[in-house]
């Protein structure tokens, strides 16, 4: 897919995937992110992937902004990927439903699934971490079966427990710590997703693959 | 000898900040850092620290402090009322004796000020920075705002030699309660109706009471989207101006999440970000369009001014 580049500030370029399907765009953004990380261009200080875009922070003393954009454009179109060389696979144990998943029954009802079918469907796929955002360590994963793609809650919760496995739109995610949140909560995991004193601090990185394992 | 700063009264919100936590945004870790990096760096230059040394950022009402040993400090940013016997000049190096009490009260000017001490505050580096991430409760001093009774360690740099340093007059313009911020369009400028684009550049917005280190909510005429306010989540820069469904702009600041799913009509240029540190409820803001080249030049000019600004 083609990529549109635009300066969003004098210190950052936003690369937007020219693609209508979110999952495909996310995998294109992931591909660009992995490629730029590997190239280690000296002008680039930080790279932040998004659902269909990559935000590229550059040094403020970049002498020729036009030249930099030309260089990015010269890389040409990008092919979507689901993984990269240094990406890891994670198996995440999940306690589905009950108190661990306060929206589980409602999701099952809306999707016309039995509880067993919902657990099986959500845990049957291998997800790809497209990017992290919202709060430290929070993974936005693509691969959620289309049957389970429901909108966010109309009324977000003021407090979502850490470890909550959640879905909203095309994404599955996990809340690393207690925050407000509007996603639908299916279950909970004990796995720690983020610790500021660990190296690296986040369990997940863009391009990692994830399977949920019912316990 | 170990040095520390005693907090007798913390003020409304005083926290340890440096120039921010770069390099971990792709893990979802916000930049944090001083809301005015120029004032933080200037304070450090005045006390002969590295520009990256940790400072105190204080808000709306300032702290009352003392030090256990003689030291040199500097206050920058907006001027706060000084109470107590010791006068505190702003924008210059100040010699402080052991146990002398420095007492700040409220500010009649902008919302924030900065305090640097010779050696810099000695709190653990977390993910390459000493900035406090208040929302997450880590970094800085115990991951929180300062409280009465805190003893904040300071790097020991040996015997104190006092050298008079001050900032050039006019290096930091006096805070006004109406400011004009230069902006670059977008990234979702085109998602707004042409009438709303005009409205955005013509309106004098008012800062609401809902303003903090994450964002500054503005009040003004509603801005309308061509289709809808939601976008696929994408990375955000500090100074981006988000407009959710309610049509009221929010200027995103240091502690904002690294990605967001609402349209952004414009972005405040880097050279004007420091004004965000001083805005208070009721202040007025206008936005004026700027081109990329001018934004780049403005940033370089501020860098040059700071280099030449300490005498």
């Amino acid at each position: 897919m083609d990529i549109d580049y635009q300066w969003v500030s004098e210190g950052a370029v936003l690369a937007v995937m020219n693609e209508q399907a979110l999952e495909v765009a996310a995998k294109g953004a992931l591909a660009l992110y992995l490629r730029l990380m590997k190239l280690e261009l000296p002008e680039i200080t930080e790279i932040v992937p998004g659902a269909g875009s990559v935000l590229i922070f550059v040094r403020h003393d970049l002498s020729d902004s036009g030249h930099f954009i030309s260089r990015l454009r010269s890389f040409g179109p990008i092919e979507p990927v689901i993984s990269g060389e240094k990406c890891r696979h994670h198996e995440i144990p999940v306690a589905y439903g009950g108190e661990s998943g306060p929206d589980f029954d409602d999701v099952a009802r809306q999707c016309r699934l039995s509880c067993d079918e919902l657990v099986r469907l959500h845990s049957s796929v291998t997800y790809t971490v497209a990017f992290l955002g919202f709060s430290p360590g929070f993974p936005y994963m693509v691969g959620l079966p289309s049957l389970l793609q429901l909108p966010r809650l109309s009324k977000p919760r003021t407090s979502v427990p850490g470890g909550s496995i959640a879905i909203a739109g095309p994404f599955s995610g996990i809340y690393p710590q207690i925050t407000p949140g509007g996603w639908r909560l299916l279950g909970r995991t004990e796995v720690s997703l983020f610790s500021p004193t660990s190296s690296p601090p986040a369990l997940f990185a863009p391009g990692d693959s994830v399977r949920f394992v019912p316990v | 000898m170990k040095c520390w700063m005693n907090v007798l009264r913390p003020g409304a919100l005083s926290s340890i900040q440096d120039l921010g936590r770069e390099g971990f945004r792709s893990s979802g870790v916000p930049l944090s850092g001083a809301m005015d990096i120029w004032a933080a760096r200037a304070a450090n230059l005045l006390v002969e620290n590295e520009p990256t040394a940790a400072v105190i950022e204080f808000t709306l009402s300032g702290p009352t402090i003392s030090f256990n040993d003689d030291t040199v400090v500097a206050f920058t940013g907006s001027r706060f009322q000084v109470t107590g016997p010791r006068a505190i000049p702003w924008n210059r190096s100040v010699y402080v004796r052991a146990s002398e009490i420095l007492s700040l009260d409220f500010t009649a000017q902008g919302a924030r000020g900065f305090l640097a001490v010779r050696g810099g505050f000695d709190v653990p580096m977390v993910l390459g920075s000493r900035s406090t991430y208040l929302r997450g409760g880590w970094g800085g001093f115990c991951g929180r705002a300062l409280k009465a009774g805190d003893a904040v360690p300071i790097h020991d740099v040996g015997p104190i030699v006092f050298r008079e340093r001050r900032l050039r007059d006019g290096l930091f313009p006096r805070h006004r309660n109406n400011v004009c911020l230069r902006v670059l369009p977008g990234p979702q400028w085109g998602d707004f109706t042409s009438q709303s684009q005009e409205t955005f550049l013509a309106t004098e917005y008012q800062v609401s009471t809902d303003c903090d280190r994450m964002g500054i909510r503005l009040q003004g005429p509603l801005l309308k989207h061509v289709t809808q306010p939601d976008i696929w989540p994408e990375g955000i820069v500090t100074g981006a101006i988000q407009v959710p469904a309610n049509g009221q702009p929010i200027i995103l600041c240091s502690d904002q999440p690294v990605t967001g799913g609402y349209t952004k009509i414009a972005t405040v240029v880097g050279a004007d970000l420091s004004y965000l540190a001083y805005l208070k409820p009721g202040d007025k803001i206008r936005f004026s369009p700027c081109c990329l080249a001018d934004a780049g030049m403005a940033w370089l000019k501020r860098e040059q001014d700071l280099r030449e600004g300490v005498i």
Side-chain angles (χ1 to χ4, degrees):
Chain A
M1 66 201 82
D2 287 328
I3 307 174
D4 294 323
Y5 295 96
Q6 77 176 114
W7 287 95
V8 295
S9 80
E10 73 291 327
V13 174
L14 185 67
V16 180
M17 305 301 123
N18 205 340
E19 168 57 55
Q20 301 288 355
L22 183 142
E23 256 199 63
V24 181
K27 290 169 182 171
L30 179 60
L32 179 63
Y33 167 80
L34 293 171
R35 179 193 279 177
L36 289 174
M37 288 293 285
K38 195 166 177 184
L39 284 174
E40 294 184 346
L41 299 179
E43 301 95 321
I44 295 180
T45 58
E46 200 156 1
I47 311 171
V48 183
S53 61
V54 180
L55 183 63
I56 304 165
F57 286 85
V58 301
R59 288 171 27 202
H60 269 98
D61 59 359
L62 205 62
S63 54
D64 189 343
S65 57
H67 177 69
F68 180 70
I69 286 257
S70 301
R71 243 174 106 204
L72 292 176
R73 289 198 176 110
S74 73
F75 296 151
I78 201 101
E79 288 300 316
V81 296
I82 60 165
S83 183
E85 288 165 9
K86 297 182 187 160
C87 298
R88 295 161 54 208
H89 176 73
H90 309 266
E91 304 261 311
I92 303 292
V94 179
Y96 280 98
E99 280 176 15
S100 301
D103 298 318
F104 182 90
D105 290 343
D106 188 60
V107 169
R109 192 179 47 76
Q110 283 200 43
C111 300
R112 298 185 204 282
L113 295 168
S114 71
C115 293
D116 283 345
E117 283 168 343
L118 175 52
V119 171
R120 252 200 312 276
L121 189 55
H122 185 256
S123 61
S124 66
V125 300
T126 301
Y127 297 85
T128 299
V129 177
F131 61 99
L132 285 82
F134 173 70
S135 72
F138 186 108
Y140 283 77
M141 297 184 243
V142 292
L144 184 67
S146 48
L147 180 57
L148 299 182
Q149 295 189 15
L150 300 171
R152 282 179 296 206
L153 298 171
S154 52
K155 197 156 175 275
R157 292 181 168 86
T158 51
S159 177
V160 170
S164 294
I165 311 294
I167 57 173
F171 297 110
S172 201
I174 314 177
Y175 286 91
Q177 58 275 126
I178 299 181
T179 51
W183 291 28
R184 295 173 196 265
L185 308 180
L186 296 184
R188 204 165 322 162
T189 184
E190 305 272 314
V191 172
S192 167
L193 267 57
F194 182 83
S195 163
T197 49
S198 297
S199 186
L203 176 66
F204 297 117
D208 284 359
S209 56
V210 180
R211 284 191 76 98
F212 295 108
V213 180
V215 297
Chain B
M1 170 178 171
K2 283 210 81 62
C3 312
W4 64 84
M5 179 184 81
N6 295 305
V7 180
L8 299 152
R9 266 181 45 249
L13 177 62
S14 301
S15 64
I16 302 263
Q17 302 292 343
D18 58 18
L19 302 184
R21 190 165 275 116
E22 304 260 12
F24 295 93
R25 287 180 177 98
S26 59
S27 297
V29 179
L31 183 66
S32 299
M35 291 266 295
D36 180 356
I37 57 164
W38 316 93
R41 287 160 70 187
N44 276 324
L45 287 173
L46 289 170
V47 299
E48 300 173 53
N49 286 345
E50 290 297 317
T52 51
V55 302
I56 307 277
E57 175 183 274
F58 48 94
T59 317
L60 294 176
S61 77
T64 299
I65 55 177
S66 67
F67 298 88
N68 72 315
D69 197 4
D70 288 11
T71 188
V72 181
V73 300
F75 289 86
T76 59
S78 276
R79 282 170 200 272
F80 280 55
Q81 288 273 3
V82 175
T83 60
R86 174 67 210 258
I88 304 176
W90 230 251
N91 294 337
R92 59 181 65 217
S93 53
V94 179
Y95 191 88
V96 181
R97 299 197 190 287
S99 304
E100 217 173 351
I101 295 181
L102 305 181
S103 185
L104 294 175
D105 202 337
F106 65 92
T107 173
Q109 293 187 18
R112 289 180 180 83
F114 297 89
L115 159 64
V117 65
R118 172 79 59 81
F121 291 101
D122 184 12
V123 296
M125 204 70 107
V126 179
L127 298 178
S129 166
R130 294 189 168 90
S131 292
T132 315
Y133 177 45
L134 290 164
R135 201 170 187 214
W138 49 267
F141 183 81
C142 307
R144 58 167 172 78
L146 299 182
K147 293 203 271 220
D150 284 343
V152 187
I154 298 166
H155 282 118
D156 183 4
V157 291
I160 297 292
V161 175
F162 177 69
R163 277 175 280 265
E164 266 194 32
R165 287 188 166 192
R166 64 179 185 84
L167 299 182
R168 257 181 225 293
D169 288 339
L171 176 63
F172 293 115
R174 213 173 165 76
H175 173 74
R176 296 190 320 273
N177 54 14
N178 58 67
V179 292
C180 184
L181 301 177
R182 290 168 290 188
V183 293
L184 293 171
Q188 284 86 36
W189 173 259
D191 285 24
F192 293 85
T193 63
S194 49
Q195 176 149 36
S196 285
Q197 291 171 348
E198 277 177 36
T199 301
F200 174 72
L201 293 173
T203 298
E204 188 179 62
Y205 285 94
Q206 178 160 293
V207 176
S208 76
T209 51
D210 192 352
C211 56
D212 58 19
R213 285 179 48 85
M214 279 184 60
I216 297 170
R217 281 174 200 269
L218 305 179
Q219 287 165 335
L222 302 188
L223 298 172
K224 293 196 172 63
H225 301 87
V226 172
T227 51
Q228 47 138 16
D230 294 340
I231 56 166
W232 294 347
E234 70 185 20
I236 304 178
V237 303
T238 304
I241 304 169
Q242 215 174 48
V243 184
N246 68 6
Q248 301 280 270
I250 309 167
I251 312 177
L252 301 177
C253 301
S254 309
D255 282 351
Q256 74 197 12
V258 301
T259 59
Y262 292 122
T263 47
K264 299 173 286 296
I265 190 167
T267 302
V268 177
V269 304
D272 289 355
L273 287 178
S274 51
Y275 289 107
L276 304 180
Y278 305 110
L279 292 171
K280 294 199 294 200
D283 284 351
K284 305 273 197 275
I285 303 180
R286 281 191 184 279
F287 297 105
S288 80
C290 186
C291 70
L292 183 68
D294 287 351
M297 295 296 301
W299 176 276
L300 292 175
K301 170 111 190 357
R302 286 212 74 171
E303 286 288 317
Q304 184 181 1
D305 285 349
L306 185 61
R307 269 197 306 272
E308 298 168 357
V310 179
I311 51 180

